[in-house]
Amino acid sequence: MAIGSLFKKILTRKPSPETADAAVDALRIEFKDRYHSFKLLLSANHKALEIMAEIEEALHGSRPFGMTFVRAACTSVAVNVFSMVRNIEKLAPGKYGELFARFDAIQKSVDAVLTRRKPVADERLVIPLGEVTKEMADFVGSKMANLGEIKNSLKVRVPPGFAITARAYQRFLEHNDLQAEIDRRMQAAEADRVEALYNLSAEIQQMIIRAEVPADLTAAIRRAWAAMEIEAGGKVTVALRSSALGEDAAGSSFAGQYRSELNVSADAVLEAYREVLASKYSLQAITYRLTRGFRDEDVAMCVGCLAMVNAAAGGVTYSRNPVDVHDHRIFTNAAWGLPKAVVDGSAACDLFIVSREDAMTVVAEDIRSKDRKFVCYPEEGICRLDVTDAERLLPAITHEQAIDLARTAASLERHYDMAQDIEWAIDPRGDLYLLQCRPLQQRPVETVTQKSAPTADGASVIYRGGVTASSGAASGPVFIADKGSDVLAFPDGAVLVVRQAQPRWASLLNRAAAIVTEEGGFAGHLANVAREFGVPALFAVPEATRILRTGELATVDATGQAIHLGRIEALLHQAQPRKSLMQGSPVYEILSEASRMIVPLGLLEPDSPDFAPTNCRTLHDITRFIHEKSVHEMFNFGRDHNFSERSSKQLHYKVPMQWWVLNLDDGFTEEIAGKYVKLEQIACIPMLAFWRGFIAIPWEGPPAMDGRGMLSVMFQATTNQALTVGVKSKYAERNYFMVARNYLSLSQRLGFHFSTLEALVSERTPENYVSFQFKGGAADLERRLGRVHFIAEILESIGFRVEIREDHLLARVEGQCEGYMLQRVEILGYLALHTRQMDMIMANPAHVEYYRAKYHKDIDGLLAATH
Amino acid sequence: MSEFRVLFVDDEADFRETLIKRMQKRHVEAFGVRSGEEALDWLREHPTDLVVLDVRMPGMDGIQTLRAIKRDHPLLEVILLTGHANLEIAREGMQLGAFDYLMKPIDLDELLYKLEDAYQKKTIQEHKIKNIEGVIESRK
């Protein structure tokens, strides 16, 4: 530091008295400045370690996290590490300059991982369906790519239409400068609170709906519309469907997460386009991406625009049984009117099961009373109609049509070599149109029909029947939801009970134990998501909202198709643990990759020649290096400056002790010029706590030693290093307290082992920490390990997090209030005295037991005394 | 900790005003402006210890504002507080001498600690300069 060296120069000349005073002042300020930098460095170190722990926890835990967390965590670690680099530079200018370059290199690689993006190669804003192939999934979304593929390669009947591409979506966002604003709001929201998410979702959707569709995109849509009408041979309305990028990635369904707009006229198409885009931020879509680990920015909303089919009947066909991989039959759910009734889970529907032999036949059917249907208004929009009594109980499709659907499903399955989920409509002339096809997720679990397997006490059953939409069994308090705002009140782990199996309830599935609906079949969106999340789901339970009451405990056995009152353990013990949906997801992979440049610690041995800036490969390495060096720099500065106030003092407690104290800033109650510091002159709170523990209970001494009193023992233990006055000692070679009012760094060599204790304790609870390291001993490795584990067990019992590497113990406790932290320091003081030479007795189990009991008793006493 | 004056620069009125109110309750003299330009004007007129600066604002952005503040008021400490976690911008801000780069939502106590630390840094630097001026004066 320029100012520091200037003072050295000034001091070496013959100073006038005023200059000398000013120089002393200057040195005091210099010390203060250094200590402040050191404190900032420590707090940055603490924060960086804390976030690294959060990153580790995210990667190993089951809680979902989004890119917001990933970006914030990585940025925060980097900022704090940078702060450390800057402050060590202040403590030792130029000495570790290389660190800046190391930091820069690591930070750049992390940044590259965070901002990596797939380039969109196709610049078209709109692509006619007739030109779409399955290779275009990155431009038009997999849903439209699949539809284009079956229309163009398989010649299956699909309505004319076009895709509004990922490029168009980007263009829309850029035109309105939306992405950064969305990111900002996502970050600033407290994602843990459902209410905050709810508001966030509403705000972002509003922003999108109010934004402007750029002129070139509008023109492209108009041109494509005109071409579509030519192909259709007249005026058309359309269905607008989301076809988001990555929809089918990693076995996810994205089922029903986004909005579809049906029967949209040319006048309303831009409006509807924005509505579909906005649905990317519906509550269930945000929750879904978070739970599944999808990056917000990877989900470009492509939109499919298909000429509307005025359906007489519609539905969904599965080429396999979604809840039983051994069942090869083909399943169709059908309803009157548009397939919406089936997809939404909002109305009852018929079920047709077709065998897969060459001559396909309907092997089972379940014709339900279909009270309602959805039909198109002539101009635009759709309406829900009551079905006439005559039609209600009639099958919505004929057996021939069911078989026709089964054949189509089977041929698509052969083409894609994967089970398929197909949405279809049959127009009034009886022509079949495919509206959507996608891979069907099958769950390799027990069969649907295995009703008797888990036998539970029949007395508890309050309902038998329903459709297994997702297998399994779970228990929890019932929560009946009706309005959208009920989402806010839904308690974690409850059984969700609703009338209709609408997609909007999907946002609760990551928190629900199970779900029961009155209507809906297993082909609906909600059923898809339930299967994907592994949440047991029992659908088509009439009167479920009346049979069950909010708050009462129920067990839903979706596999056995029954609902029980109370908690039925016999059913639950076979329940499978929820799968972690994060692992393998894009967000997870990004954090995992970034963390490899942040979290691993390679620099372990400060005494090794490898302990150097050039060998810092991760941000953790940098923090480790800087922390170690900063302590030494603080020590060396005090030693090198011939400034009596700040030179190390020998501790005087009754008699001069073999402990030295170096005051960093405000660690003494007054300035001390002499050689000794008395205990009562110490202002350092953690040092006083340490000392209280150290002298609390006299040491019995090892069996071989005769009792010569505590003080003599302490002398003996601390004087076995040859210390010659005047020879510069290294920090580690003597027993030093480095102190400030709230800070203690203690380096001690007692007997043959070496330990360091560092504590920062103040009223700033979140910044508090105590860290303790311990290594070595004279005994053989086995006994040393014995002692390390012995101490680890004691420390863990009082709240330390302990890590052991060979005979090296690292313990840390943090973020607790002042009183709690000081007690821990006090116990470390106690242990410092009492565990010396413990390694000598480790081979004798009786001794070990004796000491274990004694230490726990003593520690309990200490904890009780200070409380 | 002695009292200090903080200027909050944020284009989001709700956020800014709430923060100022809550800071005042903690005996911090807090003021607010809504853009980088206004911040520079304010600093010319009003003695200020610390600036808490948003990064994304219409007009001058946080980084440009930071650069201008550090040029005109080198002793003033600036904390970036943003809803926009961006590693590159964070590094740039820190290299330009920002005291810290914090992210919304922020715990109020944490922000207060940062302000105290930044203020202490500023006080120490001022003492240093005063002292060196004194020494130079006495040697004339």
Side-chain angles (χ1 to χ4, degrees):
Chain A
M1 174 112 250
I3 296 172
S5 54
L6 174 62
F7 276 108
K8 268 192 195 167
K9 265 186 212 150
I10 291 168
L11 283 170
T12 51
R13 296 180 196 166
K14 272 203 172 151
S16 65
E18 311 89 70
T19 322
D21 278 354
V24 167
D25 268 357
L27 256 179
R28 279 186 188 146
I29 296 169
E30 185 62 21
F31 269 94
K32 206 168 201 50
D33 190 20
R34 291 179 61 82
Y35 177 62
H36 191 60
S37 296
F38 180 57
K39 217 166 65 176
L40 294 178
L41 183 154
L42 293 176
S43 113
N45 181 52
H46 177 58
K47 186 81 192 173
L49 294 181
E50 187 178 289
I51 301 162
M52 285 181 210
E54 276 176 33
I55 292 175
E56 287 272 78
E57 203 183 300
L59 289 173
H60 295 123
S62 56
R63 274 171 61 92
F65 53 89
M67 276 309 287
T68 303
F69 168 78
V70 176
R71 271 192 296 261
C74 293
T75 305
S76 190
V77 172
V79 165
N80 282 289
V81 174
F82 185 89
S83 178
M84 290 182 76
V85 175
R86 188 160 70 184
N87 282 302
I88 191 78
E89 175 66 19
K90 270 200 84 170
L91 296 182
K95 197 165 169 187
Y96 310 110
E98 236 170 301
L99 285 170
F100 281 101
R102 284 312 304 146
F103 171 80
D104 254 21
I106 298 170
Q107 180 260 333
K108 285 215 161 61
S109 341
V110 173
D111 196 46
V113 172
L114 296 187
T115 54
R116 190 184 302 148
R117 216 168 203 152
K118 271 194 236 161
V120 177
D122 196 316
E123 286 294 311
R124 281 181 289 179
L125 299 176
V126 168
I127 303 176
L129 192 57
E131 296 173 25
V132 171
T133 63
K134 69 169 187 280
E135 285 74 28
M136 291 187 187
D138 284 349
F139 317 140
V140 301
S142 54
K143 205 189 266 182
M144 285 306 282
N146 278 338
L147 207 55
E149 172 78 6
I150 60 172
K151 180 184 174 85
N152 301 315
S153 304
L154 294 183
K155 306 297 176 199
V156 174
R157 194 186 290 127
V158 175
F162 54 90
I164 309 175
T165 63
R167 183 76 201 93
Y169 173 71
Q170 273 180 12
R171 178 88 188 83
F172 174 82
L173 290 182
E174 284 159 14
H175 182 73
N176 295 285
D177 197 16
L178 281 175
Q179 191 64 55
E181 183 58 19
I182 291 171
D183 289 348
R184 190 187 65 73
R185 284 175 193 247
M186 298 278 276
Q187 186 195 309
E190 292 163 57
D192 304 351
R193 287 177 46 236
V194 186
E195 206 178 331
L197 269 187
Y198 199 76
N199 292 336
L200 176 74
S201 156
E203 280 168 26
I204 297 180
Q205 292 196 63
Q206 278 307 310
M207 271 168 41
I208 294 175
I209 287 166
R210 280 197 227 106
E212 184 185 62
V213 179
D216 51 347
L217 178 53
T218 307
I221 292 174
R222 297 285 177 226
R223 278 195 304 274
W225 190 288
M228 172 178 64
E229 290 194 330
I230 291 170
E231 189 186 338
K235 226 167 136 42
V236 296
T237 55
V238 300
L240 241 58
R241 294 159 176 275
S242 67
S243 175
L245 288 199
E247 273 201 345
D248 297 318
S252 72
S253 64
F254 271 80
Q257 297 310 308
Y258 310 122
R259 221 178 148 105
S260 291
E261 295 284 328
L262 298 178
N263 206 27
V264 175
S265 70
D267 295 340
V269 68
L270 296 182
E271 221 72 71
Y273 174 62
R274 281 182 294 223
E275 295 266 347
V276 175
L277 294 193
S279 73
K280 178 180 169 185
Y281 294 96
S282 69
L283 185 57
Q284 70 256 32
I286 294 176
T287 316
Y288 180 85
R289 280 196 296 275
L290 195 65
T291 316
R292 289 299 320 255
F294 286 103
R295 287 206 305 176
D296 199 57
E297 60 260 49
D298 289 341
V299 182
M301 289 295 280
C302 311
V303 175
C305 221
L306 286 188
M308 195 70 202
V309 177
N310 189 13
V316 171
T317 297
Y318 284 175
S319 69
R320 302 269 164 176
N321 184 339
V323 288
D324 182 3
V325 284
H326 306 296
D327 187 351
H328 301 304
R329 299 172 304 172
I330 298 165
F331 292 71
T332 293
N333 271 161
W336 293 118
L338 299 170
K340 177 178 167 63
V342 174
V343 175
D344 267 3
S346 58
C349 51
D350 298 337
L351 171 66
F352 298 88
I353 304 177
V354 176
S355 67
R356 193 180 281 271
E357 288 99 49
D358 287 343
M360 288 183 168
T361 51
V362 175
V363 291
E365 63 179 10
D366 178 11
I367 309 301
R368 297 258 174 155
S369 172
K370 300 170 287 297
D371 305 343
R372 293 182 294 269
K373 65 174 176 180
F374 291 95
V375 296
C376 292
Y377 280 124
E379 295 282 313
E380 68 169 40
I382 54 167
C383 67
R384 198 174 73 179
L385 289 184
D386 288 337
V387 178
T388 61
D389 287 346
E391 243 186 343
R392 221 168 256 181
L393 283 166
L394 290 179
I397 55 171
T398 64
H399 280 198
E400 290 70 40
Q401 285 172 326
I403 290 167
D404 197 19
L405 281 164
R407 275 191 217 297
T408 308
S411 78
L412 290 186
E413 185 182 297
R414 274 194 302 279
H415 181 72
Y416 285 111
D417 199 20
M418 221 182 159
Q420 295 291 307
D421 164 352
I422 297 157
E423 186 180 333
W424 49 267
I426 293 173
D427 74 5
R429 288 184 313 197
D431 287 340
L432 171 66
Y433 288 87
L434 288 206
L435 305 176
Q436 181 177 307
C437 74
R438 62 178 173 207
L440 172 70
Q441 299 300 326
Q442 280 183 290
R443 294 239 294 151
V445 288
E446 69 274 54
T447 61
V448 186
T449 48
Q450 177 196 13
K451 288 182 192 172
S452 54
T455 45
D457 180 10
S460 61
V461 175
I462 51 168
Y463 180 80
R464 272 197 197 282
V467 170
T468 307
S470 170
S471 45
S475 174
V478 169
F479 184 89
I480 298 176
D482 179 30
K483 309 176 294 295
S485 57
D486 289 343
V487 166
L488 299 179
F490 185 81
D492 284 4
V495 171
L496 176 65
V497 180
V498 294
R499 285 207 178 78
Q500 301 174 343
Q502 290 159 321
R504 63 170 167 162
W505 302 118
S507 68
L508 293 178
L509 285 189
N510 59 342
R511 298 195 284 130
I515 172 164
V516 178
T517 72
E518 295 187 353
E519 284 166 354
F522 64 61
H525 284 324
L526 193 64
N528 261 320
V529 181
R531 287 194 288 274
E532 190 179 334
F533 284 17
V535 179
L538 188 61
F539 285 8
V541 177
E543 312 253 299
T545 58
R546 244 168 280 179
I547 299 169
L548 292 161
R549 273 192 307 270
T550 291
E552 71 189 3
L553 196 62
T555 300
V556 177
D557 178 11
T559 308
Q561 294 172 339
I563 301 172
H564 303 256
L565 265 193
R567 188 179 161 84
I568 312 298
E569 295 294 341
L571 291 168
L572 298 176
H573 75 256
Q574 351 191 306
Q576 300 190 339
R578 290 277 175 95
K579 44 184 175 173
S580 166
L581 295 162
M582 285 302 294
Q583 283 191 20
S585 74
V587 171
Y588 185 93
E589 288 307 320
I590 287 167
L591 183 61
S592 166
E593 197 178 331
S595 77
R596 287 197 282 277
M597 294 170 256
I598 297 175
V599 180
L601 182 60
L603 289 191
L604 290 173
E605 283 296 330
D607 299 331
S608 145
D610 295 336
F611 199 80
T614 35
N615 292 324
C616 289
R617 288 189 183 84
T618 64
L619 293 182
H620 199 167
D621 285 341
I622 296 184
T623 63
R624 176 77 184 87
F625 180 82
I626 293 179
H627 179 263
E628 181 73 24
K629 291 300 175 192
S630 68
V631 173
H632 286 265
E633 292 300 336
M634 289 308 286
F635 178 77
N636 291 342
F637 191 79
R639 188 198 58 198
D640 291 348
H641 279 74
N642 195 11
F643 179 36
S644 71
E645 280 178 13
R646 286 291 184 272
S647 60
S648 60
K649 310 290 177 192
Q650 197 171 354
L651 179 65
H652 196 285
Y653 174 70
K654 298 179 184 170
V655 295
M657 313 283 300
Q658 293 300 310
W659 298 79
W660 278 261
V661 188
L662 190 66
N663 182 19
L664 296 178
D665 182 29
D666 46 5
F668 293 166
T669 54
E670 59 198 295
E671 297 295 357
I672 294 167
K675 192 175 159 207
Y676 297 109
V677 59
K678 296 200 150 112
L679 188 69
E680 52 272 26
Q681 290 171 312
I682 301 287
C684 170
I685 313 172
M687 176 172 167
L688 292 172
F690 180 88
W691 199 256
R692 273 199 304 278
F694 195 79
I695 61 172
I697 297 157
W699 189 36
E700 295 175 343
M705 278 178 77
D706 58 293
R708 277 179 292 168
M710 181 190 64
L711 291 180
S712 64
V713 168
M714 277 154 51
F715 270 121
Q716 206 199 33
T718 56
T719 51
N720 59 1
Q721 277 97 47
L723 290 170
T724 322
V725 179
V727 172
K728 285 188 173 183
S729 61
K730 275 162 74 179
Y731 178 54
E733 286 172 353
R734 237 180 179 189
N735 300 295
Y736 275 105
F737 290 102
M738 269 207 295
V739 299
R741 198 183 127 70
N742 301 109
Y743 175 77
L744 165 66
S745 169
L746 166 61
S747 161
Q748 57 173 342
R749 212 173 257 285
L750 284 174
F752 294 94
H753 70 258
F754 175 62
S755 73
T756 59
L757 158 66
E758 188 178 56
L760 185 68
V761 182
S762 75
E763 66 287 348
R764 291 186 183 184
T765 298
E767 294 183 1
N768 284 346
Y769 67 87
V770 176
S771 90
F772 175 69
Q773 288 190 60
F774 178 89
K775 188 176 162 48
D780 56 69
L781 183 65
E782 195 184 327
R783 289 188 200 190
R784 288 209 302 275
L785 285 180
R787 178 171 61 174
V788 160
H789 284 275
F790 184 84
I791 294 173
E793 182 207 303
I794 294 171
L795 293 178
E796 274 173 346
S797 78
I798 55 165
F800 278 87
R801 214 171 57 238
V802 181
E803 205 181 305
I804 295 171
R805 283 196 187 137
E806 295 176 348
D807 65 341
H808 187 169
L809 175 147
L810 215 157
R812 199 173 167 91
V813 59
E814 57 210 352
Q816 302 284 342
C817 71
E818 196 173 322
Y820 181 97
M821 301 305 278
L822 291 178
Q823 280 185 340
R824 269 65 203 165
V825 177
E826 197 176 326
I827 292 165
L828 288 174
Y830 164 83
L831 291 174
L833 178 68
H834 291 263
T835 58
R836 63 179 62 176
Q837 296 182 12
M838 271 294 295
D839 44 351
M840 297 308 173
I841 56 108
M842 272 297 145
N844 184 335
H847 275 148
V848 173
E849 244 352 278
Y850 167 77
Y851 281 108
R852 191 193 313 275
K854 172 178 164 47
Y855 292 170
H856 279 293
K857 187 173 142 268
D858 287 353
I859 287 170
D860 287 347
L862 286 176
L863 289 174
T866 48
H867 241 326
Chain B
M1 176 65 53
S2 42
E3 299 227 333
F4 43 83
R5 269 179 299 250
V6 189
L7 178 66
F8 288 90
V9 189
D10 201 310
D11 60 319
E12 237 186 304
D14 280 357
F15 177 79
R16 190 182 64 229
E17 295 310 322
T18 313
L19 204 54
I20 288 174
K21 253 183 230 144
R22 297 181 69 187
M23 280 293 157
Q24 282 167 345
K25 281 188 189 142
R26 286 161 175 77
H27 308 293
V28 174
E29 277 188 73
F31 308 91
V33 292
R34 52 182 183 191
S35 71
E37 289 85 348
E38 284 182 26
L40 295 177
D41 289 345
W42 173 278
L43 294 176
R44 267 191 285 277
E45 305 289 323
H46 306 83
T48 303
D49 297 306
L50 309 168
V51 174
V52 177
L53 189 58
D54 190 10
V55 173
R56 254 181 73 86
M57 295 179 291
M60 278 178 95
D61 67 22
I63 294 294
Q64 291 168 325
T65 312
L66 170 64
R67 202 174 269 133
I69 293 175
K70 281 287 169 186
R71 184 191 60 216
D72 299 345
H73 313 270
L75 280 181
L76 215 150
E77 291 294 341
V78 180
I79 292 173
L80 296 169
L81 173 59
T82 175
H84 195 78
N86 182 307
L87 201 48
E88 237 350 89
I89 293 176
R91 189 187 53 95
E92 199 183 348
M94 295 297 280
Q95 276 174 348
L96 285 170
F99 183 79
D100 211 330
Y101 180 98
L102 304 174
M103 277 162 283
K104 297 175 189 172
I106 178 118
D107 178 72
L108 210 64
D109 284 335
E110 197 187 332
L111 179 59
L112 206 59
Y113 297 156
K114 289 292 177 195
L115 290 172
E116 286 173 5
D117 287 347
Y119 180 63
Q120 199 183 346
K121 183 176 173 200
K122 176 171 182 272
T123 314
I124 291 170
Q125 300 313 316
E126 281 169 354
H127 278 168
K128 266 183 151 177
I129 286 170
K130 219 193 242 156
N131 206 283
I132 204 169
E133 280 166 353
V135 173
I136 289 163
E137 197 59 35
S138 73
R139 292 183 63 81
K140 270 182 186 166

